[in-house]
Amino acid sequence: MPRPNIILDDFSSGHISPLLEGRIDSEDFKSGLSECINMFPDPRGPVLGIPGWKHIGEIAEGDYSVLYEFTVSATEAYLFAFSDLKLAIYNATTEAVEIILDTLYTQEDLSGDDGKGTLLWAKVAPNGKAIYFTHNAYTQYKLVVDLEQAIPADKWTWEAVTFTGAPADWADGDFPTVVTFFQGRSWWAGMKKFPNRMYASKSGSANWEDMTTGTTADDGLQFDIDRYGRIVWLAEGKDLLIGTVNSEFVATSEGGVIQPGDIQVNHESSNGSKPVIPDFISRELAYISPDGRKLKTMWYKWLENGWISKDVTYKSEDITFSGIKRLCFARNPNSIAWCLLETEDLVGAYYLRESSEEPAIGWFTTESQMSITSAASIDSLGNSELWAIGRVEVEGVQKLHLMRKAAFELQTPDKVYLDNYKEYTFAEPTTTITGLDYLEGKTVHAVGDRAHMGSYVVQSGSIELRDGAINVVVGLQFRQYIKTLPLRSTREQGQGHQMKRWNGIWVDVEDSYLPLINGKRASERHATTLMDTGEPKLSEFVRATALGWDRKGQIEIEQDLPLELNIKGIYGEAATEQVG
């Protein structure tokens, strides 16, 4: 029986499609995984455990809420959490709600389940003094911002937009569904009655709400794109980018500035889009295909003298099969495109394009005991934080919780591997942990002084630890897990089926706790570890043996405890046996 030494030291492609499992010659097979759950495929090769969600507060009871971000500076940002007829504004720095305002949007309006198939669109004005909101069923609203005010009621004002020269088309429950700002104008589109019609305000920040049309250079505009198809997104970049249900367009002008009598709308591609707010990944615009199953990017290529689109999900098409309903991009320290699926699960992809070369892409999935209804990314002190709304059933009632996931990398200290967690620091070892009413009746896990302290059921908003601890974290459990691709070699071709067995495996972990390897955990205590203390983190090779025979020879590595796992490589000796 041949016993080849196998080295797996590159997982940068992350989860790849089962359709690629026969392509043993491809770079994606060499660096891919069959499953990559709550693990981030770093472009340098390793896979890193993704920390959990911190609990911020309860937004409301109900089934659905949607989240938007407003970044003011590197040290100031806000989250807008819309729920049934309410808007809660959170300060991202203090993690406190500043004010709750009344709105006219129901849960059905926010989720797109209103029978109209439209969503609430949000766009920050270039001067940062207002955020505009559009929905097909209602006239446009705006949140007026005065950050100089200390009193929240003076700082935030929710009001209907009062347009001058509003188009007669805007009436009878059919209003624009998308808005953006480009070359000093506000741009509106996406009506049902006039699906390919665009409207632009007069130029200048003082005129964003003046839609009066005319023939002078600063007058408003109104025109139809010559190809039929409802406009589902607008985006401002080098040019004004337009997405419809069946095509992508670019609006330009001969004089460089669009004005009445000088506008050209060029057809760039025929991919089509789903009505999801797009987001920029550096100089590329990311948008979603009409069926929701593909994440595409659109960028300007000088050699082609036009805008080019690429399917980012091509090599991992199964990961977004249920459809994408929301998109956001975290820029630092890891360049991640986060996609919220129709199943209310989050998946992500590392995405980075260096110059004109092919981008580095690595997909991964997440698992949680919560359903995620919305997500948004904010930038804070140079790092991107992901915020989300999670739905949890507590004592038979659906609760909507606001949560945050801090930026992470290998060197980030004190990462937490629990979801919807709270942190506690006491002056002396403590066993009674209170303030857990938001998880009443749930089974939670506790980590005390960096050691796993077991699972508990929350009763009357509290749990009683088996041992006292000073630094305690309590939250919902999740796993970190990878599964390698089938073990294949060119020897198998034409030789029938082979059974495979790993005689021994060495997993190279960094700053990690002992994982399960094919369901088995190595010895949990070292001779140097003091009694009544948790095992320290390891940066070494962890060995597993006697893993048995199977046809695929896949390796599963799992951290089932709320502790860190980072994998740099897998090394081993494999045996094969002919069976037919």
Side-chain angles (χ1 to χ4, degrees):
M1 297 183 294
R3 295 187 175 184
N5 290 319
I6 305 297
I7 300 175
L8 305 173
D9 58 2
D10 183 2
F11 310 103
S12 58
S13 290
H15 172 105
I16 66 170
S17 168
L19 298 176
L20 284 171
E21 289 188 0
R23 290 289 309 278
I24 63 175
D25 60 325
S26 73
E27 291 302 317
D28 292 292
F29 184 92
K30 297 173 184 176
S31 59
L33 292 165
S34 178
E35 294 186 60
C36 186
I37 302 172
N38 293 323
M39 300 286 286
F40 172 69
D42 190 283
R44 288 157 289 202
V47 279
L48 311 177
I50 299 175
W53 295 103
K54 178 183 178 181
H55 178 81
I56 303 301
E58 182 178 319
I59 294 173
E61 294 181 1
D63 295 324
Y64 197 82
S65 181
V66 67
L67 196 63
Y68 299 94
E69 60 85 21
F70 174 42
T71 299
V72 178
S73 66
T75 58
E76 186 175 10
Y78 300 88
L79 281 303
F80 305 141
F82 285 86
S83 56
D84 193 35
L85 303 176
K86 298 292 182 182
L87 164 59
I89 300 176
Y90 285 81
N91 186 310
T93 303
T94 64
E95 298 183 344
V97 62
E98 291 205 347
I99 193 171
I100 299 177
L101 302 171
D102 293 327
T103 73
L104 41 69
Y105 307 119
T106 66
Q107 286 189 131
E108 291 74 18
D109 294 328
L110 299 172
S111 66
D113 294 332
D114 57 351
K116 303 177 180 66
T118 55
L119 300 174
L120 181 65
W121 185 289
K123 186 66 180 180
V124 179
N127 60 12
K129 294 183 178 180
I131 300 93
Y132 288 80
F133 296 88
T134 66
H135 190 285
N136 187 241
Y138 308 102
T139 187
Q140 297 92 320
Y141 273 74
K142 65 179 177 181
L143 185 63
V144 181
V145 184
D146 187 351
L147 296 176
E148 299 298 322
Q149 300 295 327
I151 301 175
D154 297 328
K155 187 175 183 179
W156 308 99
T157 305
W158 177 259
E159 62 185 35
V161 180
T162 303
F163 287 99
T164 299
D169 301 342
W170 298 0
D172 301 325
D174 189 10
F175 294 91
T177 56
V178 298
V179 58
T180 195
F181 295 87
F182 181 72
Q183 292 186 345
R185 302 176 187 269
S186 66
W187 294 79
W188 311 80
M191 297 176 62
K192 288 199 170 182
K193 190 181 296 182
F194 305 99
N196 54 330
R197 182 166 296 177
M198 294 188 63
Y199 310 84
S201 71
K202 298 184 70 170
S203 64
S205 59
N207 298 317
W208 288 333
E209 298 170 12
D210 188 345
M211 308 302 296
T212 306
T213 59
T215 58
T216 61
D218 65 347
D219 280 334
L221 298 91
Q222 179 177 311
F223 59 91
D224 292 344
I225 296 177
D226 62 5
R227 293 197 183 199
Y228 191 80
R230 186 176 182 183
I231 297 170
V232 293
W233 56 257
L234 298 172
E236 73 283 4
K238 172 184 176 292
D239 301 310
L240 177 61
L241 307 179
I242 305 165
T244 75
V245 293
N246 48 37
S247 295
E248 292 73 51
F249 301 86
V250 171
T252 60
S253 65
E254 289 186 2
V257 177
I258 297 174
Q259 57 184 280
D262 186 10
I263 181 168
Q264 299 174 350
V265 179
N266 302 318
H267 178 258
E268 296 292 331
S269 56
S270 298
N271 294 309
S273 296
K274 183 178 180 177
V276 173
I277 299 176
D279 200 358
F280 276 96
I281 304 177
S282 186
R283 293 176 296 174
E284 301 178 53
L285 182 72
Y287 63 97
I288 308 303
S289 64
D291 61 2
R293 291 172 54 185
K294 297 180 178 66
L295 170 65
K296 291 180 174 288
T297 62
M298 180 178 180
W299 75 99
Y300 186 80
K301 194 168 185 179
W302 290 101
L303 293 177
E304 303 287 342
N305 192 28
W307 291 80
I308 308 299
S309 287
K310 178 182 178 64
D311 180 4
V312 180
T313 49
Y314 175 70
K315 296 176 182 177
S316 307
E317 94 298 332
D318 60 311
I319 207 169
T320 54
F321 185 81
S322 66
I324 302 168
K325 64 186 299 183
R326 191 78 188 268
L327 169 68
C328 66
F329 181 63
R331 292 162 177 79
N332 290 306
N334 302 304
S335 175
I336 301 176
W338 288 98
C339 299
L340 177 61
L341 303 182
E342 293 288 352
T343 55
E344 297 186 331
D345 297 306
L346 271 175
V347 300
Y350 176 87
Y351 187 91
L352 182 64
R353 182 188 299 277
E354 295 289 350
S355 65
S356 60
E357 297 179 2
E358 282 295 298
I361 303 172
W363 281 95
F364 58 93
T365 62
T366 67
E367 281 183 359
S368 175
Q369 296 185 45
M370 304 170 294
S371 297
I372 306 299
T373 71
S374 189
S377 175
I378 65 170
D379 291 326
S380 176
L381 297 175
N383 285 324
S384 299
E385 293 184 348
L386 189 66
W387 290 65
I389 296 172
R391 185 174 64 247
V392 185
E393 183 176 324
V394 179
E395 296 188 304
V397 179
Q398 298 292 339
K399 304 279 190 175
L400 296 166
H401 295 167
L402 181 64
M403 308 173 297
R404 76 187 296 176
K405 188 187 296 287
F408 64 92
E409 46 191 339
L410 181 63
Q411 297 82 4
T412 303
D414 302 323
K415 296 187 287 291
V416 176
Y417 294 87
L418 289 165
D419 272 345
N420 215 357
Y421 67 83
K422 275 190 176 181
E423 296 177 286
Y424 303 82
T425 300
F426 303 103
E428 57 186 29
T430 301
T431 58
T432 302
I433 310 300
T434 61
L436 297 171
D437 307 73
Y438 71 101
L439 293 176
E440 183 69 26
K442 293 290 186 182
T443 298
V444 298
H445 283 246
V447 174
D449 298 331
R450 300 188 179 184
H452 181 224
M453 305 190 75
S455 62
Y456 308 85
V457 176
V458 178
Q459 296 179 329
S460 301
S462 67
I463 60 173
E464 192 72 23
L465 300 180
R466 299 182 180 96
D467 299 295
I470 292 176
N471 298 294
V472 179
V473 183
V474 180
L476 300 173
Q477 183 186 29
F478 65 86
R479 63 172 178 160
Q480 303 158 70
Y481 175 83
I482 66 167
K483 185 176 185 179
T484 63
L485 291 167
L487 179 61
R488 298 185 188 275
S489 72
T490 55
R491 293 191 183 96
E492 294 184 53
Q493 298 179 11
Q495 294 188 10
H497 296 295
Q498 293 181 330
M499 295 294 287
K500 306 174 181 74
R501 182 186 69 186
W502 290 89
N503 295 323
I505 291 175
W506 290 262
V507 178
D508 188 5
V509 300
E510 181 72 22
D511 210 21
S512 301
Y513 295 89
L514 287 171
L516 297 172
I517 302 174
N518 280 19
K520 299 179 181 179
R521 198 186 313 273
S523 174
E524 296 193 24
R525 299 294 297 182
H526 287 72
T528 56
T529 303
L530 298 176
M531 293 294 294
D532 300 321
T533 61
E535 281 287 300
K537 289 184 179 180
L538 304 174
S539 294
E540 61 184 46
F541 288 91
V542 178
R543 189 182 183 204
T545 59
L547 299 177
W549 292 90
D550 64 48
R551 289 187 181 276
K552 292 190 174 182
Q554 291 173 283
I555 300 171
E556 300 177 63
I557 303 175
E558 177 181 357
Q559 181 56 275
D560 61 331
L561 303 176
L563 302 171
E564 189 165 0
L565 175 62
N566 305 300
I567 303 169
K568 294 193 297 184
I570 303 172
Y571 307 84
E573 185 180 72
T576 61
E577 183 173 289
Q578 199 73 25
V579 294

